[in-house]
Amino acid sequence: MDLPRSFTIRESSHRLCNPFTSEKLAILGQAISPSPGTRVLDLACGKGEMLCTWARDHGVAGTGVDISTAFIDAARARAVELGVADRVGFVHADASGHVADDPVDIAACVGATWIGSGVAGTVELLRRSLVPGGMMLIGEPYWRREPQDQATIEGCHMARKDDLLPLPELLGRFSALGCDVVEMVLADQDSWDRYVAAQWLNIRRWLDANPDDELADDMRAELAAAPVQHARYQREYLGWGVFVLMDR
């Protein structure tokens, strides 16, 4: 049970495995201002940067769950680095079936709603771990601009236009699920660049060090195509944000 190696190659230098910068993650923490001792469950937590930095900056405590052994190892090391390993812990597991033993104040899935087969299923999964009046954090892409053809849709790694919603419709979707949207922090084109372009350098460095690896041809082809694909499609058409929800 693990992520394909290509994920860890692309994101080897990343602390955040999504289009947020550290500054935007800090803005999100400041926006919701969790009090010391707030209990957090972070499903598909990646390298644990949200839990670790919020434990340092806000005094939260909690658990992160991720399917990647490499990411979980990085998360545990980050907790030690920031001196918060006594307040946060990380579990290698499939987050799609994980429910907290004791209800938490904040339940998060920041950028991996496939664990619930989409937004609706992920909201329902997070609800199962949440105290009454708690907050859910959902990270989700949306259409910044409406794609006009299938090439654009596929260039944004989608199969169908309906795989994503424009921002107003996404906010309406949360409302239809019985949630109040109480905050949001959105990625911008620069933070998308920082996320995606950093992958190109990671891939190139990996290729230089591993020219005979069985993945080398695929990763070389990806590196050759990715910059143009990002500039032509993803940078112009894809938005992404973290949305803070509370049940009505």
Side-chain angles (χ1 to χ4, degrees), residues 225-238:
V228 171
Q229 182 176 357
H230 172 64
R232 179 170 291 152
Y233 300 121
Q234 299 160 21
R235 194 175 196 273
E236 296 301 317
Y237 288 90
L238 274 183

Side-chain angles (χ1 to χ4, degrees), residues 2 10 41 47 56 60 64 70 87 99 101 110 141 144 150-151 168 170 172 178 208 210 217-218 220 222 229 234 242:
D2 212 332
R10 288 186 202 100
L41 174 67
K47 298 182 183 180
R56 177 195 63 194
V60 308
R87 297 200 296 277
V99 177
D101 293 334
V110 179
R144 290 184 68 243
Q150 188 63 24
L170 178 58
D208 288 347
N210 300 275
D217 288 345
D218 288 342
R220 163 48 62 192
E222 179 177 329
Q229 182 176 357
Q234 299 160 21
V242 180

Side-chain angles (χ1 to χ4, degrees), residues 127-206:
R127 280 175 170 150
R128 295 171 62 191
S129 294
L130 202 62
V131 300
M135 288 181 171
M136 291 176 273
L137 308 182
I138 297 279
E140 184 70 1
Y142 58 87
W143 292 122
R144 290 184 68 243
R145 294 170 54 188
E146 185 172 346
Q148 300 301 313
D149 53 41
Q150 188 63 24
T152 301
I153 293 167
E154 294 177 4
C156 294
H157 303 294
M158 300 296 150
R160 301 173 302 132
K161 178 180 174 181
D162 291 346
D163 287 342
L164 297 181
L165 296 171
L167 181 58
E169 284 76 4
L170 178 58
L171 297 174
R173 178 69 170 140
F174 293 137
S175 181
L177 292 170
C179 300
D180 289 326
V181 180
V182 298
E183 255 293 359
M184 69 179 186
V185 178
L186 303 182
D188 54 28
Q189 287 181 307
D190 182 66
S191 56
W192 265 112
D193 292 345
R194 298 286 24 90
Y195 174 55
V196 176
Q199 295 179 13
W200 310 335
L201 183 56
N202 291 338
I203 293 171
R204 175 54 195 264
R205 286 174 170 165
W206 181 87

Side-chain angles (χ1 to χ4, degrees), residues 46-74:
K47 298 182 183 180
E49 189 71 1
M50 184 175 78
L51 263 179
C52 290
T53 57
W54 287 10
R56 177 195 63 194
D57 298 340
H58 301 283
V60 308
T63 301
V65 181
D66 202 275
I67 199 170
S68 168
T69 53
F71 290 175
I72 287 293
D73 288 346

